[in-house]
Amino acid sequence: MYLPFDVVQDSRGGAAIKIDDGVTIYTAEELTAMVLGYALHLAEFHSKVPIKDAVIAVPPYFGQAERKGMLQAAQLAGINVLSLMNEHSGAALQYGIDKDFSNGSRHVIFY
């Protein structure tokens, strides 16, 4: 009632969105694939090289169903997923790559 679109059941029994024309239905995977496709386009535009492989960061609370949906969305977007990584692990990895540890030990919290 409060949404500008209708939430309906898709052919697999999951939730989908019916847009204004009343005919077109998008699943969550299709909508995520559109976002990933746009991100892929931006990455290729700025790097000036074609990108086919990716590591995708997902929230740590994603279960197997959500991870499988993310892999399906990436496949729809034409992206070969090398791995799904928890966001916290990605942040820690990037921190480790960027920092110089020659100054001694320190305590770091990733939230």
Side-chain angles (χ1 to χ4, degrees):
M1 179 167 110
Y2 299 107
L3 300 173
F5 49 82
D6 293 326
V7 178
V8 296
Q9 188 173 9
D10 69 358
S11 60
R12 297 174 300 148
I17 293 173
K18 185 186 290 188
I19 61 172
D20 290 337
D21 67 3
V23 178
T24 307
I25 296 174
Y26 293 114
T27 63
E29 291 84 2
E30 290 171 327
L31 294 170
T32 304
M34 291 177 195
V35 173
L36 290 174
Y38 180 68
L40 176 68
H41 170 72
L42 288 176
E44 288 178 338
F45 176 77
H46 289 291
S47 67
K48 307 285 193 273
V49 295
I51 298 172
K52 296 295 176 204
D53 299 329
V55 174
I56 297 177
V58 296
Y61 55 81
F62 265 28
Q64 287 301 106
E66 291 88 357
R67 289 172 179 266
K68 185 177 177 183
M70 184 62 74
L71 290 172
Q72 290 173 346
Q75 184 180 17
L76 285 172
I79 300 170
N80 179 38
V81 178
L82 300 176
S83 178
L84 292 178
M85 173 183 273
N86 284 337
E87 290 173 342
H88 298 102
S89 300
L93 181 62
Q94 187 62 42
Y95 178 82
I97 290 171
D98 288 344
K99 291 297 176 188
D100 178 20
F101 292 100
S102 62
N103 297 345
S105 66
R106 64 178 61 152
H107 298 280
V108 179
I109 297 174
F110 296 98
Y111 175 75

